[in-house]
Amino acid sequence: IMEFPSLRIPADKYVELIPTIKQRVYSICSSSDYRPGKCQLLVVREDWEAKGGDTKFGLCSSFLTFCRPNGYMVGHSTHS
């Protein structure tokens, strides 16, 4: 797009070019006796240095660290 500014790609085709994010499965243990109906999380923001020297951050851990305390989030749970 930068090399050919006159190129016009329909939005739906452009979205098809974007790679999907792989599903990440986490294991959470939360006592329903302690906080009925709630799940509490302790999240550590993951970061590392890439080969080029840039600092990279974990997608999910970064997202969760910026959520407001006592806020609500929608999630999906499965039983293993």
Side-chain angles (χ1 to χ4, degrees):
I1 294 176
M2 301 295 278
E3 191 173 343
F4 303 100
S6 63
L7 180 64
R8 300 286 182 245
I9 301 174
D12 60 328
K13 296 298 180 189
Y14 185 73
V15 171
E16 289 177 13
L17 298 173
I18 301 171
T20 58
I21 299 170
K22 291 182 182 178
Q23 177 185 4
R24 291 166 174 85
V25 179
Y26 298 90
S27 178
I28 299 172
C29 181
S30 187
S31 172
S32 59
D33 292 335
Y34 181 67
R35 297 278 187 203
K38 294 185 179 184
C39 177
Q40 293 182 295
L41 301 176
L42 170 64
V43 177
V44 176
R45 186 174 177 197
E46 183 181 13
D47 63 75
W48 65 94
E49 187 175 322
K51 287 184 180 179
D54 293 337
T55 301
K56 301 292 183 178
F57 299 96
L59 180 65
C60 186
S61 59
S62 294
F63 171 77
L64 291 172
T65 57
F66 289 108
C67 293
R68 293 181 180 164
N70 299 316
Y72 290 91
M73 296 180 57
V74 176
H76 172 73
S77 65
T78 59
H79 296 281
S80 54

